[in-house]
Amino acid sequence: KVYSKESVQLVKQSWAILSKDAQANAVAFFKNVFEIAPAAKGFFYFMQDTSVPFEQNPKLKSHALQVFRLTGDAAAQLGDKGAYEILESRLHKLAAKHLSKGVQDAHFEVVKEALLQTIEEGLPELWSPALKSAWADAYDALATILKNEMHAQA
Ligand code: HEM
Ligand code: ISQ
């Protein structure tokens, strides 16, 4: 798939802003996942300890940050030459991890909704239909590689 210069630019520009406050946005991303699908908590071992408030759970914070950074960095690099190959090798291990946790294709839609919601909430002044579809395409590209890797390993 070829990404328009405009949509690559939109993702890069918005990611530059969101990543400045990556930790807070990452926690918001997690929160949105569990708001959309409370049952998703069962997937994450660190969500089983309910004695720690959500925002202060150090494991949640570091997981969320990793996921958010990977998603954003991957999205911002989509237009670049060779980006696909680099991602594929990074996602190889990650696919195995998701498979072992029992993650299924349908779950990726929840993460997509949560991501778009997080960007909208983080950048209300930049939010537009074009920004939304640019990020949706970027996420779909990443999710497709990860899902294909999972199918290949299943
Ligand atoms: C772990 C990214 C989709 C569930 C991880 C990790 C990353 C990641 C980077 C490793 C972080 C870590 O565990 O230290 C992504 C990306 C996704 C995606 C980029 C979409 C493109 C999903 C979906 C689910 C999911 C749809 C469904 C519930 C998990 C679980 C772990 C994990 C359960 C392991 C957490 C643990 O160690 O217990 N993911 N993920 N992920 N992800 Fe995802
Ligand atoms: C995907 N994998 C692991 C953790 C996540 C947190 C928030 C959103 C998506 C995720």
Side-chain angles (χ1 to χ4, degrees):
K1 174 159 180 164
V2 181
Y3 298 91
S4 74
K5 268 195 182 144
E6 193 209 3
S7 72
V8 171
Q9 202 43 47
L10 278 172
V11 168
K12 282 193 170 150
Q13 178 202 16
S14 53
W15 180 242
I17 305 169
L18 287 166
S19 60
K20 279 190 207 149
D21 203 3
Q23 183 69 84
N25 285 311
V27 171
F29 184 23
F30 241 114
K31 230 180 184 153
N32 288 334
V33 169
F34 298 140
E35 246 173 56
I36 298 171
K41 285 178 189 153
F43 278 111
F44 298 94
Y45 73 89
F46 49 82
M47 289 302 292
Q48 313 317 310
D49 179 4
T50 49
S51 65
V52 200
F54 196 91
E55 284 85 355
Q56 283 151 36
N57 186 330
K59 289 199 184 102
L60 183 148
K61 286 172 73 173
S62 75
H63 273 78
L65 194 55
Q66 272 196 61
V67 177
F68 194 63
R69 284 232 172 92
L70 175 62
T71 309
D73 287 344
Q77 286 165 16
L78 261 189
D80 301 355
K81 240 196 221 133
Y84 185 89
E85 286 72 18
I86 294 167
L87 261 182
E88 215 167 23
S89 65
R90 267 186 90 180
L91 293 180
H92 192 77
K93 264 197 178 156
L94 209 50
K97 177 100 196 174
H98 285 86
L99 261 184
S100 76
K101 298 281 177 177
V103 174
Q104 291 168 10
D105 282 7
H107 300 139
F108 282 84
E109 289 306 307
V110 172
V111 170
K112 180 178 181 176
E113 283 316 305
L115 176 69
L116 295 175
Q117 199 180 319
T118 307
I119 296 162
E120 179 172 9
E121 289 163 357
L123 291 173
E125 65 290 343
L126 267 187
W127 189 247
S128 67
L131 184 68
K132 181 179 181 177
S133 73
W135 273 97
D137 285 353
Y139 174 84
D140 284 343
L142 179 63
T144 301
I145 303 173
L146 188 49
K147 283 187 279 187
N148 285 343
E149 236 348 282
M150 288 168 68
H151 298 156
Q153 291 177 28

